[in-house]
Amino acid sequence: MLFFPQNNEEITVSSECPVDIKEWNKDHVRQWLLEIKVDKEDADILYNEKINGSGLLHLKMCNLTELHLSMNAKALILVNVDILKQKTDMVTKPYSLKPYPFNRFNAAHRYRENSILDVTETGPKDFIQPCHEFKGFTNTAEKDRMKKYTRTNGTIHFGVADKPHGQILSIRVQNTDIFNVQQSHAIEKHFKLERAIKIAKRCIKPPRFVEVLKADMTSTGKCVIEVDIEPSSIVCQEFYFKTYKVDKNEYEMQEPTTAERKKSSFFIREDSSSKDIITSDSLKEYEKYIKDMPQLSKLRKDAEEKHLAVVKNSVQGSKLCEMVTGGTQSLDRSHFAWYIVVANKSHPVQLENLRFLLHMDLVAVLDFDPESTENGLKKQFEERKTNVHLPAQYKITGAVEDIASKLKLTRNTSWVFCNGGINEENPSDSDKWSIEKGSSVRDVVSFLCRKDVLPHKKFLTIFLLLSQVSNGKDPLLETFNMFLQELKGGNQILCISDNETSYTYWKDLIEGRYGVDISTRCIYELSFVEVNGSVLSLWSENRKSSRFVPCGGGSNVVLSKKTEDSLETLSILCVNQCDGGNEDKRKHEEIFYKGGKVSWWNFYFSEQPGSMPFIKRDKFSYIVNTIIPDICSRKRVCEFFSIFHLPGCGGTTLAMHVLWTLKDKFRCAVLKDTTDDNTTIAEHVVQLLTYETKEKPTQLPVLLMIDDFQDSSDVKKLQLQIEEECLKQNIFSKSPQVIIVNCMRAESSEQTDDAVFIGNNLSEKEQELFEEKLKEFKRTNTNTKTFYGFMILKNNFSPKYIQGIVKNTLKGFNFQDKHAQLFAVLVLLHVYCKKALLSVSTCEEFLGLQTKADFEPCKVEDGFERFSTLLTRCTVHPKISFECVTVIHYRIAQHCLKELSTLSSKVTKAEITNLLLTTDLFHEYALGKQKLMQDVHNMLVRRQYSAEAEDSLFSPLIQDIMKETPGMEEIILQNATKCYRKDAVIFQLLARYYYIKKADFTTAMKWAKKAKGLSKDNSYICDTVSQVLVRELKHEVHKDKDDPIKPDSLEKYLTLAKSAGEACQETQQTANKEAMTRSQRLKDYNTYNTAGHLGELQTAAIVIQILQKTPLFNCLGQVLSGKITFEDLLRMNDELQQYYQVLQKHKSYILQLKGTMKNHFYFLDNFFVNLVPFFAEKDKQKELTKPKVSRYFQQYTDLFCKINWSELVNNEHMNRMVKIEQTRQCLERNKGDSYTGLLEYLYKGDSASTLEEIIQQYDFIRKWKEARPMDTVNFTYANVILANINPESQYIMPYQDLRNLLLKIIDHPTPFSEILPLHYITILLLRKEEDCTLPPFVSQMKRSYLKDLRPVSNGKRAAVHFYLGKDKGYGGLISHRDINSCLGSEQNISTKWDDEKMWKRVRDCEKLYRVSGQISDGLISAADVKVYPMFRSQLPKESGKRVSFFIGFSMNGPVAYFVLAKIV
């Protein structure tokens, strides 16, 4: 709306009406009439007469009388039309400009082409104000331009038209220096007298060249030339000056002749022209003027003195400080978390005085200067990291936080070019900008002002008026209106101009167009020099001074702001961190000891004179003096150690204390957000490592702290990525270049060489330190009443102490109160999701807190009332950085949740969870919404997996709700599906609930199919459908008590089983597609999903149980093996007649059961034996899956492999073919029929006797022609493995004999399916044979691995089953159990192969043989075989360098461990 004041009232014009009244139609006119209180009847008369805007402007009293309008209408119309004309003229008049400030040469002033100078050609107004003269100067030759100087006072504007009056034309100047020379010559020629020349040169100022811009704010390359004439009294005194006409070719200065004196002129200013008062007719006027000269000179002198005596008396400096900080008078502690700058075209003289912007937390700069990068504000920001954007990038096309993350909003300043200047986008002039670019800039403004992007009322938008805005269509003006609308007022807007003229234009335009008085939000009496100084003075020295990082040898280097900005994933701890700061010590202590996160300030203050040193935990010295020095002696380029801790026990504090102590010896940094991409983190870490060290042979290592990674494997993924980045940057070192301090929550952990555990019991020494700190608090009169975090630790997590705090605080808790509800939500989040928090702005909105006045914000803590003592603030850095509220301590949260359930008005977990799910505020426009949604999602979904299925069927929250309020979990899960409307995992969760807890398979299938519809390419979601069917089958069979089972039931079960099997096969197909996709993605460590294989095995096992409850029971194994047909059965057993039709219908499915199960057993054995986790850790997938597979295998062998070997071997009368077949059954029962089953014995305990039995069985089979080539291969495996487990066994074939047997096999053609096992065992046995070339076997084995195992190996690596030993024969093959026996009890090389210390201990055992090789193309070449190092970063940089290493044999080729450079 536009507001026009009249008689202290307001009249409004709808913003829908065009600004120019002439463009109004009859509807606009009628609307305006009603708004100025004209009666509807009178308005309708004008409407029916079709009066439009143009007609309205011409209405007179006689016209209104003819229309028979009421007197009231006539009066209102006539008065308001006049006001409307004035206001509209102001906002629609041609673009006008004030002239360049008089007698100044470095003002930030430009003209715009074709705009109008807002002055006229006038005579003297007083003795100070300059008059103006316009000269088009467009058709004047450059050599003649100086001859236009004909006037003696004011400003002459060359390149400004007389008609249209004051229009900026501009002229192109090739050489500005010539103008100064010609001006000097002109003065000398025209004034003649030496004294007059000297005075004239002092009064006539050098020419000024004012740049002229195009309408789109780009340079024209032209200028307006201006000359100021200032005849000050102190220079001119009472002198007067004549000028002389000069001949065209006269150049020399000389005294005028008598004839020339007669030709002299004496010009005075009269109105808008100059007049020569020496005429041929009379000299009277001249003589009178000379006579009055003393009086005129005195008046001039008095005016000058009066003008100089005016002293500016302004309070705008303090007003600026107040407004820019939100009332805190310190930018270190500003009320505003972020600043947005909106700026137009800058002038070079301004830039140096805009440096205050470089220190501010600018979230975005909206730049309207298309040439900003070349010579404007953007160029000034070259020393800071900025992200350049087009406005179109802010259009909401997806999740808001994803867009913000992509833009890196709040991480670096976003530089938005709002009028071209980027990607070859052309700028627009003011008339076209709104149409061409206005919409996209509105998207920017709307995006930045969203509550889920920047904290509500915690950012300030600063309009920098660097150029004059005097056009009603100026883009800056329109953008101001956008912010005004989005922010619903101007309290978050500050306008800064360095002159009153620009301010007046700006203020009047805004008031005229939008009816808003912004005078209270403007700074205009300060120059930018003063603005710059005032704002910079609001920072502490710490924030303004340079920051340093160590460089070795006690030297430091400056960490540039641009570099620090670019390392956006890291918070860098500098050598001079906190120096020169003015932070409040008590405030930081209160936050920390209450339970908030420690800050660097806490360590800094503890080192100041008179302060007690920061409490050193017992593990501190062990880390600093033992762990880190030991790590520094290793070879791997990136190492890590872990600080495991219980929540709230000081683990994070300890880690930060270590960094603070070592900040002079390492380049220290903290990872801001664990969800950041590892590739980016690695790049930033290596940049920090190499910063300003390019010329140095070595660098100081980086000490990187990471906090709260989900799993140790996540740490190893980051470690590997850092090593890969080092390789990319050609960083090879003999010692670690990056040491990761992994701080991670854990319930328990044993202290190892690379890990410590911080529990909840202080040692005696630590108790003494805490007591001493408490005494210091008392000495300094520190109020420790709410130092709960400190006291909980001091009291060793005493439940009694914590319970006392909680009971006292929650007294009178009423869940109907908003602050009580929000506190309960925070407690629930803290207990069930370790990183869950709520943003401050979300809490403020939920509690209905409003900002009281401009600079009197209401603290969120006040809104929580007495519960605020249990809360603290922290800043998080997910996709958008923001401030959050959380409970001070995990144990406090636990006891609060427990206490709430015991209150008289019991508050259950279900109630709190439901509030969280059904309150729109939490998941619509909340800041940090995406993180909160993910946290709540995790609480509902994430399970604690264990072998005991009942303990991990649902998340801890859902399981606790089931126990506390049975049945309520269903409502919670149903509401969750409404909250997460397109989340397949939530739909899957509800499906699982219905088939596990409710046995409602129809509803479960409905939700499973909905989940699958949302995520059809996800094998885990796909598996839910098969699980519903398998569970239903299991449930139906379990409740069926008939024995034998009825035929119709059998039909139903087999039909259901077949559907379940098909669903499981679909899951397998989806998993295979997933695996293919993952193999093409870098850094995807998700493993192959085996659920489809397991599900089909389970289905087959249930079908066998079903069939065992039919008359088939006695011969089921033979039937399923195909040895007895269904037709044979009918002849054998009449009872099967009633089952025959059912069995015949499902014959194909039933006869495939055995083969299906066998295939899955082989696949899963191959998967879990030959593939191990990519990182050195326990195989959790195997731990969860193998017990189930073993159960199904037992069921399988009980049915199909019933033969007892001891009886069979002694039966000499059995048919040979039958005996061979039954021997194969014995092999199958012992898993001796596959090489993977045999390799598995390497990892079992007492397996020697079984292997001896297997060897005997193969000895029997191999005697006959029915023996297969693979029998010999498996026989070879059995011998090698038995020799490793029990080398004294009498059944082991002599090594040389086994070698010769193998040589015979490899001479025969080999099926594709047998290449991998054959070539692997060949490499093991012929590893040192001179007459056997290994490279072809290695390459063929690798190709076979790629075909057989690589498709399902994502997140895995090929297992190393053997290492090369020093001995010959069988003794030269060393297994994991051999290495573990060297390492001692409970040490396992399978989960420690990445630990250099372990390999040193292995070396000391002297069992492994060190192979020699040389570096070639990043690999090691040994005996013409390419050996891959386990860690490429350990290899020396130079190709051809000799190295030694241990070698391990995997199906994917030989692997080098513990690589060391050989000393020549």
Side-chain angles (χ1 to χ4, degrees), residues 1096-1108:
E1096 197 168 7
L1097 265 179
Q1098 185 182 9
T1099 305
I1102 295 171
V1103 171
I1104 289 173
Q1105 290 176 7
I1106 295 168
L1107 293 174
Q1108 285 175 334

Side-chain angles (χ1 to χ4, degrees), residues 905-941:
S905 55
K906 182 177 179 180
V907 181
T908 65
K909 298 174 187 67
E911 285 180 273
I912 304 169
T913 307
N914 210 43
L915 174 69
L916 191 52
L917 291 171
T918 57
T919 302
D920 292 342
L921 173 65
F922 292 132
H923 41 80
E924 283 191 352
Y925 298 106
L927 185 61
K929 175 191 79 171
Q930 205 164 329
K931 182 184 184 315
L932 177 61
M933 292 290 281
Q934 187 58 55
D935 289 338
V936 175
H937 189 279
N938 290 343
M939 288 199 309
L940 295 169
V941 172

